[in-house]
Amino acid sequence: MTPVLLLAAEKESAQVTDWAARIGWVVGLALFVALVYWLMREGWKWRGTLQGDLPELPTTPDETGPPHLTMSGRYHGSTTAGQWLDRIVAHGLGTRSRAELTLTDAGLDVVRPGASDFFVPAAQLREARLDKGIAGKVLTEGGLLVVTWEHGDRLIDSGFRSDHAAEHNEWVAAINSMIETNTREGAER
């Protein structure tokens, strides 16, 4: 035989893909992802159960007075005050959403389409500040409006981001001014 024919006779065809093994790996990976998702969901529900002692959120009173400020933006969540990673999920406070904020003499009204609305009475407001992050959301320095308020026996930080970030400073000044006025009036009584 000639050397050329010998070389051609020795070539093997390409290896055929083992479809059973490939499908097994894909199914195994899909099951692993489903397990991780289920564990995360159970952790979220467990956190809500642990925070079950948090009282129901106040609703907006019938008469709030004229609005001082309004803001359209996003609600990024609530945490235990001073602990920016300790997310509060009870009563829907952990659900991110669009938000419409209205500040009146009665307090802060938070309207969230697709999530639970809540109201923070003026007497419960403790502080407003600019910050860079809250559980699961980190922005540039001063990119987040954080409002600290008291609910039950807990202090809560709620994070908001306006569609127009330049509004944040005005909100901080207005809320802190309202708190000082309420504190001064309470001390005079």
Side-chain angles (χ1 to χ4, degrees):
M1 238 187 204
T2 64
V4 174
L5 289 176
L6 283 175
L7 288 175
E10 291 178 16
K11 280 193 172 183
E12 293 181 24
S13 61
Q15 191 173 11
V16 177
T17 302
D18 184 3
W19 286 105
R22 190 167 287 202
I23 290 171
W25 277 104
V26 168
V27 168
L29 181 62
L31 288 173
F32 177 74
V33 168
L35 173 68
V36 168
Y37 176 77
W38 179 80
L39 288 171
M40 287 174 23
R41 187 167 187 267
E42 290 300 309
W44 187 269
K45 287 179 4 184
W46 178 249
R47 181 174 279 274
T49 302
L50 291 176
Q51 296 168 349
D53 63 334
L54 194 67
E56 286 295 321
L57 297 174
T59 57
T60 307
D62 294 333
E63 189 58 41
T64 60
H68 298 299
L69 289 173
T70 59
M71 178 174 79
S72 178
R74 296 208 46 90
Y75 168 77
H76 287 288
S78 292
T79 62
T80 302
Q83 299 178 16
W84 73 285
L85 290 176
D86 186 20
R87 184 186 298 268
I88 295 176
V89 301
H91 307 299
L93 287 175
T95 306
R96 290 185 182 182
S97 62
R98 293 284 306 158
E100 298 290 331
L101 274 63
T102 306
L103 183 64
T104 65
D105 287 333
L108 179 66
D109 188 23
V110 181
V111 177
R112 301 185 307 150
S116 303
D117 300 343
F118 62 95
F119 181 78
V120 180
Q124 304 311 113
L125 290 170
R126 296 296 177 253
E127 177 192 20
R129 68 182 186 281
L130 297 179
D131 213 329
K132 64 180 178 181
I134 199 160
K137 186 66 174 181
V138 178
L139 300 163
T140 59
E141 190 67 44
L144 195 66
L145 170 66
V146 177
V147 177
T148 303
W149 52 290
E150 185 176 353
H151 185 56
D153 60 349
R154 274 192 205 178
L155 284 178
I156 297 174
D157 283 342
S158 293
F160 304 94
R161 177 148 174 92
S162 174
D163 290 337
H164 309 285
E167 297 177 331
H168 289 171
N169 289 326
E170 184 179 8
W171 274 82
V172 168
I175 291 173
N176 286 333
S177 174
M178 178 185 281
I179 293 167
E180 287 174 20
T181 302
N182 289 343
T183 303
R184 194 172 35 249
E185 288 174 359
E188 291 173 359
R189 289 183 194 165

